[in-house]
mmCIF file of all heavy atoms in Angstrom:
data_model
loop_
_atom_site.group_PDB
_atom_site.id
_atom_site.type_symbol
_atom_site.label_atom_id
_atom_site.label_comp_id
_atom_site.label_asym_id
_atom_site.label_seq_id
_atom_site.Cartn_x
_atom_site.Cartn_y
_atom_site.Cartn_z
ATOM 1 N N ASP A 372 8.451 -21.544 10.648
ATOM 2 C CA ASP A 372 7.418 -22.137 9.804
ATOM 3 C C ASP A 372 6.470 -21.142 9.182
ATOM 4 O O ASP A 372 5.583 -21.514 8.426
ATOM 5 C CB ASP A 372 6.608 -23.176 10.609
ATOM 6 C CG ASP A 372 7.440 -24.394 10.990
ATOM 7 O OD1 ASP A 372 8.405 -24.693 10.257
ATOM 8 O OD2 ASP A 372 7.155 -25.024 12.023
ATOM 9 N N TYR A 373 6.621 -19.865 9.509
ATOM 10 C CA TYR A 373 5.782 -18.850 8.862
ATOM 11 C C TYR A 373 6.555 -17.552 8.767
ATOM 12 O O TYR A 373 7.585 -17.360 9.407
ATOM 13 C CB TYR A 373 4.450 -18.676 9.574
ATOM 14 C CG TYR A 373 4.524 -18.090 10.980
ATOM 15 C CD1 TYR A 373 4.764 -16.736 11.190
ATOM 16 C CD2 TYR A 373 4.286 -18.895 12.095
ATOM 17 C CE1 TYR A 373 4.812 -16.198 12.465
ATOM 18 C CE2 TYR A 373 4.330 -18.380 13.377
ATOM 19 C CZ TYR A 373 4.575 -17.015 13.563
ATOM 20 O OH TYR A 373 4.619 -16.494 14.835
ATOM 21 N N VAL A 374 6.016 -16.654 7.951
ATOM 22 C CA VAL A 374 6.619 -15.338 7.783
ATOM 23 C C VAL A 374 5.507 -14.302 7.784
ATOM 24 O O VAL A 374 4.431 -14.533 7.237
ATOM 25 C CB VAL A 374 7.453 -15.265 6.482
ATOM 26 C CG1 VAL A 374 6.577 -15.493 5.247
ATOM 27 C CG2 VAL A 374 8.207 -13.949 6.356
ATOM 28 N N ASP A 375 5.760 -13.175 8.449
ATOM 29 C CA ASP A 375 4.773 -12.097 8.517
ATOM 30 C C ASP A 375 5.216 -10.925 7.649
ATOM 31 O O ASP A 375 6.414 -10.652 7.517
ATOM 32 C CB ASP A 375 4.619 -11.603 9.970
ATOM 33 C CG ASP A 375 3.992 -12.632 10.870
ATOM 34 O OD1 ASP A 375 3.350 -13.563 10.361
ATOM 35 O OD2 ASP A 375 4.140 -12.506 12.104
ATOM 36 N N LEU A 376 4.242 -10.216 7.108
ATOM 37 C CA LEU A 376 4.545 -8.982 6.381
ATOM 38 C C LEU A 376 3.462 -7.951 6.632
ATOM 39 O O LEU A 376 2.325 -8.272 7.017
ATOM 40 C CB LEU A 376 4.726 -9.210 4.892
ATOM 41 C CG LEU A 376 3.578 -9.783 4.062
ATOM 42 C CD1 LEU A 376 3.756 -9.376 2.606
ATOM 43 C CD2 LEU A 376 3.545 -11.298 4.141
ATOM 44 N N CYS A 377 3.853 -6.704 6.466
ATOM 45 C CA CYS A 377 2.960 -5.563 6.730
ATOM 46 C C CYS A 377 2.781 -4.807 5.407
ATOM 47 O O CYS A 377 3.760 -4.389 4.787
ATOM 48 C CB CYS A 377 3.609 -4.677 7.792
ATOM 49 S SG CYS A 377 2.664 -3.228 8.263
ATOM 50 N N VAL A 378 1.545 -4.669 4.953
ATOM 51 C CA VAL A 378 1.265 -4.137 3.620
ATOM 52 C C VAL A 378 0.324 -2.941 3.694
ATOM 53 O O VAL A 378 -0.765 -3.034 4.282
ATOM 54 C CB VAL A 378 0.619 -5.228 2.727
ATOM 55 C CG1 VAL A 378 0.351 -4.662 1.325
ATOM 56 C CG2 VAL A 378 1.486 -6.451 2.656
ATOM 57 N N ARG A 379 0.723 -1.836 3.085
ATOM 58 C CA ARG A 379 -0.208 -0.700 2.942
ATOM 59 C C ARG A 379 -0.863 -0.815 1.560
ATOM 60 O O ARG A 379 -0.196 -0.979 0.540
ATOM 61 C CB ARG A 379 0.529 0.632 3.044
ATOM 62 C CG ARG A 379 -0.442 1.828 3.003
ATOM 63 C CD ARG A 379 0.282 3.159 3.170
ATOM 64 N NE ARG A 379 0.869 3.313 4.479
ATOM 65 C CZ ARG A 379 0.219 3.664 5.587
ATOM 66 N NH1 ARG A 379 -1.084 3.861 5.538
ATOM 67 N NH2 ARG A 379 0.839 3.791 6.730
ATOM 68 N N HIS A 380 -2.183 -0.725 1.563
ATOM 69 C CA HIS A 380 -2.954 -0.826 0.319
ATOM 70 C C HIS A 380 -2.826 0.473 -0.469
ATOM 71 O O HIS A 380 -3.352 1.513 -0.075
ATOM 72 C CB HIS A 380 -4.424 -1.114 0.653
ATOM 73 C CG HIS A 380 -5.288 -1.288 -0.542
ATOM 74 N ND1 HIS A 380 -6.659 -1.212 -0.503
ATOM 75 C CD2 HIS A 380 -4.970 -1.567 -1.844
ATOM 76 C CE1 HIS A 380 -7.147 -1.425 -1.711
ATOM 77 N NE2 HIS A 380 -6.144 -1.644 -2.542
ATOM 78 N N VAL A 381 -2.133 0.420 -1.601
ATOM 79 C CA VAL A 381 -1.944 1.596 -2.441
ATOM 80 C C VAL A 381 -3.104 1.712 -3.421
ATOM 81 O O VAL A 381 -3.329 0.833 -4.253
ATOM 82 C CB VAL A 381 -0.605 1.511 -3.200
ATOM 83 C CG1 VAL A 381 -0.466 2.716 -4.146
ATOM 84 C CG2 VAL A 381 0.555 1.427 -2.228
ATOM 85 N N HIS A 382 -3.871 2.779 -3.302
ATOM 86 C CA HIS A 382 -4.927 3.082 -4.280
ATOM 87 C C HIS A 382 -5.246 4.563 -4.189
ATOM 88 O O HIS A 382 -5.215 5.155 -3.112
ATOM 89 C CB HIS A 382 -6.168 2.205 -4.052
ATOM 90 C CG HIS A 382 -6.880 2.495 -2.767
ATOM 91 N ND1 HIS A 382 -7.965 3.336 -2.683
ATOM 92 C CD2 HIS A 382 -6.640 2.077 -1.503
ATOM 93 C CE1 HIS A 382 -8.374 3.398 -1.431
ATOM 94 N NE2 HIS A 382 -7.598 2.651 -0.688
ATOM 95 N N TYR A 383 -5.573 5.179 -5.316
ATOM 96 C CA TYR A 383 -5.825 6.612 -5.341
ATOM 97 C C TYR A 383 -6.517 7.009 -6.642
ATOM 98 O O TYR A 383 -6.607 6.221 -7.579
ATOM 99 C CB TYR A 383 -4.500 7.387 -5.199
ATOM 100 C CG TYR A 383 -3.437 7.012 -6.196
ATOM 101 C CD1 TYR A 383 -3.305 7.728 -7.397
ATOM 102 C CD2 TYR A 383 -2.573 5.943 -5.980
ATOM 103 C CE1 TYR A 383 -2.355 7.361 -8.336
ATOM 104 C CE2 TYR A 383 -1.611 5.579 -6.903
ATOM 105 C CZ TYR A 383 -1.501 6.295 -8.074
ATOM 106 O OH TYR A 383 -0.572 5.938 -9.013
ATOM 107 N N GLN A 384 -6.973 8.247 -6.670
ATOM 108 C CA GLN A 384 -7.607 8.834 -7.851
ATOM 109 C C GLN A 384 -6.698 9.938 -8.386
ATOM 110 O O GLN A 384 -6.128 10.708 -7.623
ATOM 111 C CB GLN A 384 -8.957 9.427 -7.485
ATOM 112 C CG GLN A 384 -9.997 8.432 -7.006
ATOM 113 C CD GLN A 384 -10.686 7.711 -8.144
ATOM 114 O OE1 GLN A 384 -10.798 8.249 -9.240
ATOM 115 N NE2 GLN A 384 -11.151 6.517 -7.871
ATOM 116 N N LEU A 385 -6.567 9.998 -9.713
ATOM 117 C CA LEU A 385 -5.773 11.051 -10.342
ATOM 118 C C LEU A 385 -6.374 11.370 -11.688
ATOM 119 O O LEU A 385 -6.542 10.481 -12.544
ATOM 120 C CB LEU A 385 -4.310 10.586 -10.501
ATOM 121 C CG LEU A 385 -3.334 11.607 -11.098
ATOM 122 C CD1 LEU A 385 -3.178 12.817 -10.166
ATOM 123 C CD2 LEU A 385 -1.962 10.977 -11.358
ATOM 124 N N ASN A 386 -6.713 12.626 -11.891
ATOM 125 C CA ASN A 386 -7.296 13.063 -13.162
ATOM 126 C C ASN A 386 -8.481 12.207 -13.599
ATOM 127 O O ASN A 386 -8.639 11.852 -14.781
ATOM 128 C CB ASN A 386 -6.227 13.067 -14.269
ATOM 129 C CG ASN A 386 -5.092 14.037 -13.944
ATOM 130 O OD1 ASN A 386 -5.305 15.101 -13.357
ATOM 131 N ND2 ASN A 386 -3.872 13.674 -14.307
ATOM 132 N N GLY A 387 -9.327 11.873 -12.629
ATOM 133 C CA GLY A 387 -10.529 11.130 -12.949
ATOM 134 C C GLY A 387 -10.360 9.640 -13.161
ATOM 135 O O GLY A 387 -11.307 8.936 -13.527
ATOM 136 N N ARG A 388 -9.154 9.144 -12.932
ATOM 137 C CA ARG A 388 -8.886 7.711 -13.122
ATOM 138 C C ARG A 388 -8.472 7.068 -11.813
ATOM 139 O O ARG A 388 -7.797 7.694 -10.987
ATOM 140 C CB ARG A 388 -7.795 7.517 -14.171
ATOM 141 C CG ARG A 388 -7.541 6.072 -14.529
ATOM 142 C CD ARG A 388 -6.443 5.921 -15.577
ATOM 143 N NE ARG A 388 -5.932 4.560 -15.536
ATOM 144 C CZ ARG A 388 -4.692 4.211 -15.830
ATOM 145 N NH1 ARG A 388 -3.809 5.129 -16.184
ATOM 146 N NH2 ARG A 388 -4.317 2.951 -15.762
ATOM 147 N N SER A 389 -8.890 5.814 -11.589
ATOM 148 C CA SER A 389 -8.526 5.071 -10.379
ATOM 149 C C SER A 389 -7.259 4.266 -10.617
ATOM 150 O O SER A 389 -7.095 3.657 -11.669
ATOM 151 C CB SER A 389 -9.669 4.130 -9.980
ATOM 152 O OG SER A 389 -10.828 4.859 -9.651
ATOM 153 N N TYR A 390 -6.387 4.246 -9.592
ATOM 154 C CA TYR A 390 -5.126 3.491 -9.663
ATOM 155 C C TYR A 390 -5.016 2.575 -8.450
ATOM 156 O O TYR A 390 -5.466 2.941 -7.350
ATOM 157 C CB TYR A 390 -3.915 4.440 -9.684
ATOM 158 C CG TYR A 390 -3.864 5.383 -10.858
ATOM 159 C CD1 TYR A 390 -4.660 6.525 -10.875
ATOM 160 C CD2 TYR A 390 -3.018 5.125 -11.927
ATOM 161 C CE1 TYR A 390 -4.616 7.402 -11.933
ATOM 162 C CE2 TYR A 390 -2.963 6.022 -12.993
ATOM 163 C CZ TYR A 390 -3.760 7.155 -13.002
ATOM 164 O OH TYR A 390 -3.712 8.007 -14.085
ATOM 165 N N GLN A 391 -4.386 1.434 -8.634
ATOM 166 C CA GLN A 391 -4.136 0.494 -7.536
ATOM 167 C C GLN A 391 -2.699 -0.004 -7.613
ATOM 168 O O GLN A 391 -2.156 -0.176 -8.703
ATOM 169 C CB GLN A 391 -5.082 -0.716 -7.596
ATOM 170 C CG GLN A 391 -6.537 -0.393 -7.386
ATOM 171 C CD GLN A 391 -7.224 0.131 -8.635
ATOM 172 O OE1 GLN A 391 -6.845 -0.221 -9.746
ATOM 173 N NE2 GLN A 391 -8.204 1.000 -8.453
ATOM 174 N N GLY A 392 -2.118 -0.251 -6.449
ATOM 175 C CA GLY A 392 -0.793 -0.850 -6.425
ATOM 176 C C GLY A 392 -0.864 -2.245 -7.044
ATOM 177 O O GLY A 392 -1.766 -3.022 -6.733
ATOM 178 N N THR A 393 0.077 -2.569 -7.902
ATOM 179 C CA THR A 393 0.036 -3.828 -8.634
ATOM 180 C C THR A 393 -0.080 -5.035 -7.708
ATOM 181 O O THR A 393 -0.860 -5.950 -7.962
ATOM 182 C CB THR A 393 1.292 -3.981 -9.532
ATOM 183 O OG1 THR A 393 1.368 -2.840 -10.388
ATOM 184 C CG2 THR A 393 1.218 -5.254 -10.373
ATOM 185 N N VAL A 394 0.708 -5.040 -6.629
ATOM 186 C CA VAL A 394 0.694 -6.166 -5.712
ATOM 187 C C VAL A 394 -0.123 -5.850 -4.458
ATOM 188 O O VAL A 394 -0.915 -6.676 -3.980
ATOM 189 C CB VAL A 394 2.131 -6.584 -5.310
ATOM 190 C CG1 VAL A 394 2.110 -7.705 -4.275
ATOM 191 C CG2 VAL A 394 2.904 -7.036 -6.547
ATOM 192 N N SER A 395 0.032 -4.641 -3.926
ATOM 193 C CA SER A 395 -0.638 -4.323 -2.663
ATOM 194 C C SER A 395 -2.153 -4.418 -2.783
ATOM 195 O O SER A 395 -2.834 -4.810 -1.830
ATOM 196 C CB SER A 395 -0.227 -2.938 -2.171
ATOM 197 O OG SER A 395 -0.794 -1.911 -2.979
ATOM 198 N N ASP A 396 -2.701 -4.079 -3.938
ATOM 199 C CA ASP A 396 -4.160 -4.161 -4.106
ATOM 200 C C ASP A 396 -4.636 -5.594 -4.003
ATOM 201 O O ASP A 396 -5.680 -5.879 -3.420
ATOM 202 C CB ASP A 396 -4.542 -3.579 -5.468
ATOM 203 C CG ASP A 396 -6.058 -3.535 -5.666
ATOM 204 O OD1 ASP A 396 -6.722 -2.851 -4.876
ATOM 205 O OD2 ASP A 396 -6.536 -4.217 -6.598
ATOM 206 N N GLN A 397 -3.837 -6.526 -4.556
ATOM 207 C CA GLN A 397 -4.229 -7.922 -4.499
ATOM 208 C C GLN A 397 -4.004 -8.506 -3.105
ATOM 209 O O GLN A 397 -4.791 -9.330 -2.623
ATOM 210 C CB GLN A 397 -3.464 -8.710 -5.568
ATOM 211 C CG GLN A 397 -3.833 -8.230 -6.973
ATOM 212 C CD GLN A 397 -3.066 -8.931 -8.085
ATOM 213 O OE1 GLN A 397 -3.131 -10.155 -8.215
ATOM 214 N NE2 GLN A 397 -2.365 -8.156 -8.891
ATOM 215 N N LEU A 398 -2.951 -8.051 -2.416
ATOM 216 C CA LEU A 398 -2.717 -8.513 -1.048
ATOM 217 C C LEU A 398 -3.781 -7.997 -0.091
ATOM 218 O O LEU A 398 -4.148 -8.673 0.860
ATOM 219 C CB LEU A 398 -1.327 -8.063 -0.569
ATOM 220 C CG LEU A 398 -0.127 -8.696 -1.276
ATOM 221 C CD1 LEU A 398 1.173 -8.169 -0.678
ATOM 222 C CD2 LEU A 398 -0.155 -10.217 -1.160
ATOM 223 N N ALA A 399 -4.288 -6.805 -0.363
ATOM 224 C CA ALA A 399 -5.321 -6.230 0.508
ATOM 225 C C ALA A 399 -6.627 -7.012 0.416
ATOM 226 O O ALA A 399 -7.475 -6.914 1.309
ATOM 227 C CB ALA A 399 -5.564 -4.772 0.123
ATOM 228 N N LYS A 400 -6.799 -7.783 -0.645
ATOM 229 C CA LYS A 400 -8.037 -8.518 -0.850
ATOM 230 C C LYS A 400 -7.878 -10.035 -0.668
ATOM 231 O O LYS A 400 -8.806 -10.785 -0.901
ATOM 232 C CB LYS A 400 -8.552 -8.233 -2.258
ATOM 233 C CG LYS A 400 -8.851 -6.750 -2.481
ATOM 234 C CD LYS A 400 -9.111 -6.437 -3.948
ATOM 235 C CE LYS A 400 -9.335 -4.937 -4.168
ATOM 236 N NZ LYS A 400 -9.488 -4.590 -5.592
ATOM 237 N N VAL A 401 -6.690 -10.468 -0.242
ATOM 238 C CA VAL A 401 -6.431 -11.887 -0.113
ATOM 239 C C VAL A 401 -7.187 -12.465 1.077
ATOM 240 O O VAL A 401 -7.485 -11.786 2.049
ATOM 241 C CB VAL A 401 -4.907 -12.138 0.043
ATOM 242 C CG1 VAL A 401 -4.420 -11.787 1.434
ATOM 243 C CG2 VAL A 401 -4.539 -13.553 -0.354
ATOM 244 N N LYS A 402 -7.523 -13.756 0.992
ATOM 245 C CA LYS A 402 -8.278 -14.447 2.030
ATOM 246 C C LYS A 402 -7.442 -15.579 2.631
ATOM 247 O O LYS A 402 -6.560 -16.141 1.965
ATOM 248 C CB LYS A 402 -9.579 -15.006 1.477
ATOM 249 C CG LYS A 402 -10.475 -14.002 0.783
ATOM 250 C CD LYS A 402 -10.994 -12.941 1.750
ATOM 251 C CE LYS A 402 -11.937 -11.963 1.039
ATOM 252 N NZ LYS A 402 -12.371 -10.871 1.938
ATOM 253 N N VAL A 403 -7.746 -15.929 3.877
ATOM 254 C CA VAL A 403 -7.078 -17.054 4.520
ATOM 255 C C VAL A 403 -7.341 -18.326 3.687
ATOM 256 O O VAL A 403 -8.463 -18.580 3.249
ATOM 257 C CB VAL A 403 -7.609 -17.257 5.954
ATOM 258 C CG1 VAL A 403 -7.088 -18.553 6.566
ATOM 259 C CG2 VAL A 403 -7.212 -16.066 6.843
ATOM 260 N N GLY A 404 -6.291 -19.079 3.482
ATOM 261 C CA GLY A 404 -6.387 -20.300 2.698
ATOM 262 C C GLY A 404 -5.922 -20.152 1.264
ATOM 263 O O GLY A 404 -5.574 -21.135 0.612
ATOM 264 N N GLN A 405 -5.892 -18.900 0.767
ATOM 265 C CA GLN A 405 -5.353 -18.675 -0.569
ATOM 266 C C GLN A 405 -3.839 -18.903 -0.554
ATOM 267 O O GLN A 405 -3.205 -18.886 0.510
ATOM 268 C CB GLN A 405 -5.647 -17.247 -1.043
ATOM 269 C CG GLN A 405 -7.083 -17.023 -1.480
ATOM 270 C CD GLN A 405 -7.286 -15.622 -2.010
ATOM 271 O OE1 GLN A 405 -8.139 -14.875 -1.528
ATOM 272 N NE2 GLN A 405 -6.487 -15.235 -2.986
ATOM 273 N N LYS A 406 -3.260 -19.048 -1.731
ATOM 274 C CA LYS A 406 -1.804 -19.222 -1.819
ATOM 275 C C LYS A 406 -1.206 -18.090 -2.651
ATOM 276 O O LYS A 406 -1.783 -17.648 -3.638
ATOM 277 C CB LYS A 406 -1.479 -20.576 -2.413
ATOM 278 C CG LYS A 406 -1.801 -21.737 -1.474
ATOM 279 C CD LYS A 406 -1.215 -23.044 -1.936
ATOM 280 C CE LYS A 406 -1.460 -24.141 -0.890
ATOM 281 N NZ LYS A 406 -0.878 -25.446 -1.300
ATOM 282 N N LEU A 407 -0.036 -17.649 -2.206
ATOM 283 C CA LEU A 407 0.687 -16.582 -2.884
ATOM 284 C C LEU A 407 2.043 -17.098 -3.361
ATOM 285 O O LEU A 407 2.682 -17.913 -2.689
ATOM 286 C CB LEU A 407 0.907 -15.400 -1.934
ATOM 287 C CG LEU A 407 -0.346 -14.681 -1.428
ATOM 288 C CD1 LEU A 407 0.049 -13.645 -0.355
ATOM 289 C CD2 LEU A 407 -1.083 -14.004 -2.564
ATOM 290 N N SER A 408 2.484 -16.627 -4.518
ATOM 291 C CA SER A 408 3.797 -17.008 -5.050
ATOM 292 C C SER A 408 4.841 -16.076 -4.434
ATOM 293 O O SER A 408 4.828 -14.860 -4.670
ATOM 294 C CB SER A 408 3.798 -16.866 -6.576
ATOM 295 O OG SER A 408 2.840 -17.709 -7.139
#
């Protein structure tokens, strides 16, 4: 009835610009009760 996953939050600085993982950044900020596709 459930599935677990382990996520490393990808984010870094390069040449003065900030980068975030397209999905991992959003998963790192998700809250209980939210829904994911």
Side-chain angles (χ1 to χ4, degrees):
D372 293 333
Y373 66 75
V374 62
D375 292 340
L376 60 156
C377 180
V378 180
R379 185 178 294 280
H380 183 197
V381 177
H382 66 96
Y383 54 93
Q384 296 279 332
L385 182 64
N386 298 326
R388 185 180 160 211
S389 297
Y390 299 78
Q391 294 81 31
T393 303
V394 176
S395 71
D396 184 61
Q397 297 178 59
L398 292 181
K400 299 169 183 175
V401 76
K402 305 295 182 185
V403 171
Q405 284 183 236
K406 290 192 175 181
L407 297 173
S408 299

